[in-house]
């Protein structure tokens, strides 16, 4: 494992619903807590490519940084925090169902 | 192998005289290949010129539409072909700007079969330009 | 108002069918996302942070009660019960699902509306003075011409895959409310020797490289308009830069080639293109003018208005800020503020939309407008109806008396919705509005325009705000840069950057210091913020913004 590599999660938007999703070992989830944590750079690149190939289901696939709180992934940038929660002016988006 | 698209769908290419690159065209040239960054005013319309093929390096690059229209406005009446990455959703635009036909590669034809192109063979209908120009 | 004829209806129906097909072909894999993206954008569909967003055109900002009611219906049926009115006379729905969008477009078509060319590298929906046809200061109503441009630019086959977006704005009044100098093309209706024509301005724009447009011709005869516009756009489509999207807008083309060279190229092309127009467009223009004929204004007593004005201070305060002079006797232009303190600028609920539709029908000759300042306008209301109108607006939280004041803030969606954002805009607008409402100072401060963008793209017009705020990401923290002295009117000017940015919690106090400085330095109450700024320049405001620099220097 490369030293400078920080943990990542593959994220995207769902093609049909448009909402934020995260890759798991077997598919996609809407809950960051269930996402597959990638700690190896080569493996992360591979998972990114695999995710990007699922063009019939997802759009805008990329790797996002996470911090680990025990084993649970936490967002590190405020943009990802909003994606994981929803807008700040209404209780809409993920926070609506949470 | 490339595929030619016209209003009737996919057809075999009937043009067998090749193309002269734009920069090498002499006064008696019959057919030319025009890159997308060509200034349309630089294309000489000579009596021998019968085929102009304009390149679309990417479907997102719409310069070819302007070149086609300017060629037609300058009086060119020969065959005009769009070549390269043109998608079926652009077929009506190509026809309306003066192209006669579109030449695409097989992989694109496989992804966008001829029904998708024929869906836009109605390009003469619902055209605001008709109403604005008369 | 323009109403769709059979041609328009058939056009929209086929276009919607094409888009429905494109959605299906994206889902079945015939279209890649790269190919689908420009097609969905051409039909107003974006992908934002949390969901898709559908941007619906309100061409030149004009709509009727039935259309507004349909916007409310769409908000309830396919969205979350509200819509966001934007600076470009659009309404945005923030939560549609991909498969529903074709149905939403069909619902729009039922009332003669669409989302065509509200996005993408095409000619965008044309914007116009929101007081058109009503304002006392107008030379001519720009909307018939705007409608002509709408039809000419819609589905224009040469101009669907251009280097970048292209925006046209038009005004028929010398007092520019359409920000014509910050558009790719700005048109000002003028007269020369009794002949109607246009001053044409090209190469304005905001974004990363803000530029004030340059006059390419000071008088273009009316009948030359479409061929001339076509020549400008055609030249740019050919020579505009495609290697770098930040240099693709026509403002950069004009900057790099010089206005003289662009003028030469356009004139050359115009000589060729002009012949492809038979003149039928002028016949149509004459017909469209009849669609926009003024309503039958009535003459009746204004006594009810005067009584309410004298007896009801809340009504008086609203009337003082939210009404503008109308060309017809006894009438007013009403600006309905969509900027209630603490709410999201430009957001209206479906109930509010339905109320505004009802009021337009009852009191406003069935006309509404959307302003680039994200408010809704009832352009023709008789003064005697204003007290009843005001009472009804109050019921739905729409009677805020703050038009043109410090809480009448333009804010883009920012990081709360926008995928390109570097920081949030909406909470900043909410905080500033709430703070100055608490201070009860805003009527004393008077005319002051705050404009906020959540990134360098400048959708919130911050460059031309009296106080402009730009949200940036500074090492993972939201940071806000302040510009001062911008102007969006006929005397358009890009604001001056004050200095280092502020973190969110420092920003409202910083704005307060700017405002306090103005209040302390103005000659009297009649000198507006922008006038004081012009008189004194940046220095005293900069000193107020950065007191620590003063301390260091001391
Ligand atoms: C939320 C999704 C949005 C996206 C992705 C978006 C994207 C952009 C981009 C990329 C630019 C810069 C263009 C350039 O300089 O080439 C821009 C400019 C602009 N946008 Fe937006 N925008 C969005 C929302 C809005 C909204 C909500 C408004 C109205 C409130 C708006 C109005 C404008 C205006 C007025 C400009 C600057 C004028 C100019 O074109 O130079 N945009 N937008
Ligand atoms: S200014 Fe930036 S953040 Fe705001 S809407 Fe435009 S692109 Fe998004």
């Amino acid at each position: 494992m490369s030293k400078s590599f920080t943990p990542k999660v593959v994220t995207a938007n769902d093609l049909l619903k448009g909402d934020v999703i995260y890759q798991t070992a077997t598919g996609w989830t809407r809950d960051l807590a269930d996402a597959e944590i990638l700690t190896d750079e080569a493996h992360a690149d591979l998972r990114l490519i695999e995710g990007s190939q699922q063009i019939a289901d997802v759009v805008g696939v990329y790797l996002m940084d996470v911090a680990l709180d025990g084993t649970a992934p936490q967002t590190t940038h405020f943009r990802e925090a909003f994606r994981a929660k929803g807008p700040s002016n209404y209780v809409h988006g993920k926070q609506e169902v949470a | 192998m490339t595929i030619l698209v016209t209003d009737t769908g996919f057809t075999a290419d009937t043009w067998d005289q090749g193309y002269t690159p734009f920069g090498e065209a002499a006064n008696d040239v019959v057919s030319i290949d025009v890159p997308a960054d060509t200034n349309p005013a630089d294309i000489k319309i000579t009596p021998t010129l019968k085929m102009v093929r304009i390149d679309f390096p990417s479907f997102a690059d719409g310069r070819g539409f302007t070149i086609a229209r300017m060629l037609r406005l300058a009086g060119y009446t020969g065959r005009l072909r769009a070549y390269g990455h043109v998608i079926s959703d652009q077929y009506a635009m190509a026809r309306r700007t003066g192209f006669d036909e579109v030449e695409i590669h097989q992989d694109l034809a496989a992804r966008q079969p001829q029904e998708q192109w024929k869906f836009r063979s109605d390009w003469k209908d619902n055209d605001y330009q008709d109403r604005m120009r008369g | 108002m323009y109403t769709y004829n059979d041609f328009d209806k058939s056009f929209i129906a086929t276009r919607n069918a094409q888009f429905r097909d494109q959605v299906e072909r994206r889902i079945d894999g015939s279209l890649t996302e790269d190919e689908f993206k420009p097609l969905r954008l051409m039909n107003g569909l974006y992908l934002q942070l949390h969901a898709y967003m559908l941007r619906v055109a309100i061409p030149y900002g004009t709509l009727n009660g039935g259309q507004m009611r349909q916007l409310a219906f769409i908000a309830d049926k396919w969205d979350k019960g509200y819509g966001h009115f934007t600076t470009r006379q659009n309404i945005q729905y923030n939560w549609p699902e991909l498969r529903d969008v074709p149905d939403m477009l069909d619902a729009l078509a039922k009332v003669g509306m669409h989302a065509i060319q509200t996005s993408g590298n095409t000619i965008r929906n044309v914007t116009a003075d929101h007081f058109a046809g009503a304002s006392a200061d107008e030379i001519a109503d720009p909307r018939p011409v705007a409608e002509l441009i709408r039809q000419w630019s819609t589905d224009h086959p040469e101009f669907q895959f251009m280097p970048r977006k292209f925006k046209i704005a038009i005004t028929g009044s010398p007092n520019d409310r359409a920000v014509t100098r910050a558009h790719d093309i700005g048109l000002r209706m003028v007269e020369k020797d009794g002949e109607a024509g246009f001053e044409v301005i090209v190469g304005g724009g905001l974004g990363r490289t803000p530029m004030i447009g340059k006059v390419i011709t000071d008088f273009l005869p009316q009948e030359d308009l479409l061929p001339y516009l076509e020549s400008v756009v055609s030249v740019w489509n050919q020579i505009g830069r495609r290697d770098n999207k930040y240099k693709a807008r026509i403002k950069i083309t004009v900057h790099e080639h010089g206005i003289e060279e662009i003028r030469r190229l356009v004139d050359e092309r115009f000589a060729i293109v002009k012949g492809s127009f038979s003149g039928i467009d002028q016949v149509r223009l004459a017909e469209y003018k009849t669609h926009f004929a003024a309503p039958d204004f009535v003459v009746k007593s204004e006594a009810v208005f005067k009584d309410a004005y004298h007896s009801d201070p809340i009504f008086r305060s609203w009337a003082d800020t939210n009404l503008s002079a109308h060309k017809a006797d006894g009438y007013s232009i009403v600006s309905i503020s969509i900027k209630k303190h603490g709410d999201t600028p430009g957001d209206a609920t479906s109930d509010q939309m339905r109320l505004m539709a009802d009021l337009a029908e009852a009191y406003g000759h069935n006309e509404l407008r959307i302003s680039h300042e994200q408010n809704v306008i009832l352009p023709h209301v008789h003064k005697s109806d204003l007290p009843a109108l005001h009472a009804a607006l109050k019921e739905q939280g729409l009677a805020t008396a703050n038009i043109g004041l410090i809480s009448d803030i333009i804010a883009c969606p920012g990081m709360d919705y926008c995928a390109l954002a570097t920081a949030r805009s909406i909470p900043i607008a909410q905080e500033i509005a709430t703070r100055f409402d608490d201070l009860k100072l805003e009527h004393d401060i008077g005319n002051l325009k705050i404009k906020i963008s959540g990134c360098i793209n400048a959708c919130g017009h911050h460059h031309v705000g009296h106080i402009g705020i730009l949200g940036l990401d500074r090492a993972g923290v939201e940071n806000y840069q302040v510009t001062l002295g911008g102007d969006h009117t006929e005397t358009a000017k890009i604001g001056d950057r004050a200095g280092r940015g502020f973190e969110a919690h420092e920003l409202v106090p910083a704005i307060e210091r700017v405002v306090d400085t103005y209040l302390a330095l103005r000659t009297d109450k009649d000198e507006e913020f922008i006038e004081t700024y012009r008189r004194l320049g940046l220095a005293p405001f900069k000193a107020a913004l950065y007191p620590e620099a003063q301390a260091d220097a001391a």
Side-chain angles (χ1 to χ4, degrees):
Chain A
M1 194 170 84
S2 141
K3 278 222 182 68
S4 59
F5 187 77
T6 50
K8 305 255 183 313
V9 161
V10 175
T11 184
N13 289 72
D14 182 80
L15 174 68
L16 296 180
K17 269 182 76 76
D19 61 342
V20 174
I21 51 178
Y22 306 98
Q23 199 175 39
T24 65
T26 53
W28 297 90
T29 175
R30 296 195 144 74
D31 188 351
L32 181 58
D34 300 334
E36 178 189 15
I37 319 276
L38 306 164
T39 48
D40 176 74
E41 186 162 8
H43 186 57
D45 290 343
L46 178 73
R47 294 295 285 145
L48 175 65
I49 292 169
E50 285 170 357
S52 307
Q53 282 166 345
Q54 300 176 35
I55 61 156
D57 302 304
V58 304
V59 291
V61 187
Y62 64 92
L63 283 169
M64 64 178 261
D65 277 313
V66 290
L68 291 183
D69 177 9
T71 55
Q74 305 287 331
T75 57
T76 59
H77 189 276
F78 60 93
R79 183 177 195 270
E80 292 306 337
F82 290 126
R83 286 181 80 239
K85 181 167 174 264
S88 48
N89 61 333
Y90 302 113
V91 187
H92 288 161
K94 290 195 187 298
Q95 61 194 335
E96 193 174 5
V97 281
Chain B
M1 259 291 284
T2 53
I3 283 165
L4 196 64
V5 192
T6 67
D7 289 357
T8 55
F10 290 176
T11 60
D13 195 347
T14 50
W15 183 258
D16 55 10
Q17 301 180 48
Y19 301 88
T20 306
F22 175 65
E24 296 163 25
N27 281 340
D28 59 351
V29 71
V30 177
S31 57
I32 49 173
D33 245 342
V34 173
D37 61 0
T38 306
N39 179 353
D42 292 342
I43 304 172
K44 275 207 213 75
I45 301 169
T46 59
T48 53
L49 188 64
K50 296 209 158 39
M51 168 67 101
V52 176
R53 186 169 78 161
I54 299 172
D55 185 44
F56 281 75
S58 149
F59 78 105
D61 182 341
R63 285 177 292 184
F65 297 124
T66 285
I67 301 175
R69 155 147 286 166
M70 293 316 293
L71 264 184
R72 289 303 191 199
L73 286 177
Y76 175 66
T77 53
R79 235 163 126 177
L80 191 53
R81 177 180 291 191
Y83 171 69
H85 192 185
V86 177
I87 61 177
S88 64
D89 306 88
Q90 294 174 312
Y91 184 72
M93 297 164 207
R95 294 291 275 132
R96 286 169 175 176
T97 49
F99 287 105
D100 299 300
E101 56 206 24
V102 178
E103 182 181 348
I104 56 171
H105 290 277
Q106 263 176 339
D107 52 340
L108 181 65
R111 198 153 47 76
Q112 301 198 323
Q114 70 168 342
E115 305 77 66
Q116 299 191 5
W117 293 82
K118 282 168 79 173
F119 183 62
R120 297 312 314 275
S121 64
D122 65 350
W123 58 274
K124 286 200 183 94
D125 300 340
N126 298 306
D127 185 4
Y128 272 113
Q129 294 312 309
D130 250 13
R131 291 172 56 77
M132 290 295 112
R133 288 163 200 281
Chain C
M1 269 179 65
Y2 184 75
T3 39
Y4 277 17
N5 56 30
D6 289 344
F7 178 89
D8 298 296
K9 285 182 193 155
S10 153
F11 173 85
I12 302 288
T14 348
R15 170 79 172 220
N16 287 353
Q18 285 160 9
F19 186 62
R20 192 177 286 279
D21 176 70
Q22 285 161 353
V23 169
E24 287 312 315
R25 288 192 296 127
R26 168 66 183 91
I27 295 170
D28 76 18
S30 304
L31 286 167
T32 64
E33 181 61 22
D34 275 355
E35 289 168 343
F36 179 61
K37 188 174 170 188
L39 300 173
R40 68 164 156 78
L41 290 177
M42 259 176 222
N43 290 286
L45 186 62
Y46 279 83
L47 183 63
Q48 302 202 95
L49 280 187
H50 318 290
Y52 286 98
M53 178 270 278
L54 181 66
R55 181 184 285 169
V56 175
I58 299 167
Y60 35 91
T62 296
L63 75 172
N64 62 30
Q67 291 173 323
M68 182 67 110
R69 211 169 278 115
Q70 188 76 345
L71 294 179
F73 168 78
I74 290 170
D76 283 338
K77 174 145 184 169
W78 291 289
D79 209 89
K80 293 187 190 288
Y82 75 101
H84 176 71
F85 291 108
T86 81
T87 51
R88 296 212 69 260
Q89 301 182 318
N90 297 303
I91 181 171
Q92 299 188 168
Y93 293 107
N94 282 323
W95 304 95
E97 292 186 16
L98 182 57
R99 275 224 162 87
D100 289 337
V101 174
D103 292 338
M104 295 169 83
L105 295 179
D106 285 347
L108 287 168
K110 281 195 182 138
V111 292
M113 295 182 79
H114 61 67
I116 296 169
Q117 290 173 218
T118 56
S119 178
N121 296 334
T122 67
I123 301 176
R124 299 293 186 83
N125 62 303
V126 47
T127 53
D129 182 356
H130 44 268
F131 288 173
S135 183
D137 59 17
E138 180 170 276
I139 299 169
D141 187 343
R143 292 173 302 157
V145 177
E147 175 58 26
L148 194 73
I149 297 173
R150 181 189 76 83
Q151 297 195 17
W152 161 78
S153 60
T154 297
D155 207 24
H156 194 302
E158 192 181 337
F159 303 142
Q160 298 300 313
F161 289 87
M162 299 205 289
R164 203 81 181 83
K165 59 176 87 166
F166 198 92
K167 299 176 178 174
I168 303 176
I170 178 167
T171 177
S173 162
N175 296 310
D176 186 357
R177 285 173 291 260
V179 207
T180 55
R181 291 187 166 273
H183 282 76
D184 296 285
I185 289 185
L187 296 170
R188 295 183 51 228
M189 301 177 85
V190 290
E191 263 184 27
K192 193 166 126 188
D193 308 327
E195 195 194 344
F198 304 92
E199 177 185 88
V200 184
I201 300 160
V202 298
L206 300 172
R208 173 175 307 248
T209 330
M211 297 218 189
I212 300 296
K214 300 185 176 65
V215 174
I216 185 166
T217 170
D218 58 7
F219 187 81
L220 181 74
Q222 179 172 286
E223 67 272 16
D224 287 346
L225 180 66
L226 293 186
Y228 195 84
L229 291 179
E230 191 159 293
S231 303
V232 174
V233 183
S234 180
V235 163
W236 170 69
N237 190 40
Q238 184 201 324
I239 67 172
R241 286 181 62 172
R242 289 175 188 261
D243 59 329
N244 178 342
K245 74 172 181 174
Y246 301 118
K247 303 209 160 151
R249 296 287 290 271
I250 196 172
K251 62 189 173 189
I252 305 292
T253 319
V254 170
H255 182 71
E256 288 182 351
H257 293 255
I259 184 75
E260 292 77 21
E261 172 67 359
I262 298 295
R263 185 180 294 123
R264 188 186 69 76
L265 292 170
V266 168
D267 287 346
E268 211 173 82
R269 190 146 301 191
F270 176 78
I272 304 169
V273 166
K274 169 81 175 152
S276 69
F277 285 81
S278 68
I280 181 91
D281 60 316
Q282 294 303 304
V283 179
R284 303 219 185 269
L285 178 62
E287 181 205 323
Y288 303 156
K289 282 186 181 157
T290 65
H291 288 265
F292 292 97
D296 292 326
F297 295 120
V298 295
V299 179
K300 53 185 177 180
S301 156
E302 293 171 28
V304 200
F305 170 75
K306 288 187 178 134
D307 285 352
Y309 192 84
H310 291 297
S311 62
D312 177 354
I314 294 178
F315 175 73
R316 180 162 62 241
S317 159
W318 177 81
D320 286 342
T321 47
N322 293 35
L323 301 183
S324 307
H326 198 283
K327 65 181 181 188
D329 273 352
Y331 275 76
S332 277
I333 302 173
V334 176
S335 295
I336 302 174
S337 169
I338 313 294
K339 308 289 179 66
K340 188 172 165 199
H341 303 102
D343 284 1
T344 303
D347 276 12
T349 65
S350 54
D351 285 338
Q352 290 177 326
M353 291 185 220
R354 273 184 291 267
L355 175 72
M356 292 188 281
D358 293 345
L359 294 175
E361 285 166 356
Y363 305 120
H365 295 274
N366 198 16
E367 261 203 55
L368 300 119
R369 305 288 173 75
I370 308 305
S371 79
H372 83 266
E373 288 172 327
Q374 300 179 288
N375 291 311
V376 176
I377 315 288
L378 297 177
H380 315 292
V381 182
H382 194 275
K383 289 202 171 114
S384 64
D385 293 324
L386 290 171
L389 178 85
H390 179 250
L393 288 172
K394 266 200 294 202
E395 298 286 309
Q396 284 285 354
L398 287 170
T400 313
N402 64 347
I403 296 295
L405 304 183
I406 196 167
S407 60
D408 184 6
I409 297 172
I410 293 184
C412 80
M415 181 84 75
D416 285 306
Y417 297 90
C418 178
L420 304 176
T422 43
R424 285 174 296 172
S425 323
I426 293 170
I428 300 298
Q430 291 172 315
E431 281 168 37
I432 294 175
T434 310
R435 176 66 183 150
F436 282 93
D437 190 39
D438 291 346
L439 292 174
K440 294 291 163 235
L441 262 182
E442 69 174 336
H443 288 270
D444 184 35
I445 297 165
N447 194 355
L448 204 175
K449 310 234 181 232
I450 296 189
K451 304 183 196 248
I452 311 174
S453 305
C455 81
I456 193 79
N457 287 320
C459 302
H461 288 192
H462 66 274
H463 297 296
V464 291
H466 297 163
I467 299 178
I469 298 172
L470 164 63
L472 295 169
D473 172 353
R474 198 149 166 263
V477 180
E478 289 167 296
N479 190 274
Y480 296 89
Q481 235 167 46
V482 174
T483 55
L484 296 171
D487 176 357
H488 68 290
T489 67
E490 61 283 356
T491 45
K493 184 177 173 303
I494 306 295
D496 306 313
R497 237 183 77 188
R500 72 158 177 91
F502 297 89
E503 287 190 21
H505 66 91
E506 304 172 310
L507 183 64
V508 177
I511 301 297
E512 258 185 81
R513 293 198 294 278
V514 170
V515 172
D516 288 343
T517 305
Y518 155 65
L519 292 175
L521 295 179
R522 68 181 175 189
T523 49
D524 58 40
K525 236 197 119 167
D526 288 336
E527 189 181 63
E528 294 185 359
F529 175 85
I530 187 68
E531 293 164 344
T532 307
Y533 185 86
R534 283 191 197 121
R535 181 167 57 81
L536 297 174
L538 178 62
F541 298 97
K542 188 167 177 164
L545 275 173
Y546 306 105
E548 72 279 8
Q550 301 303 108
D552 289 351

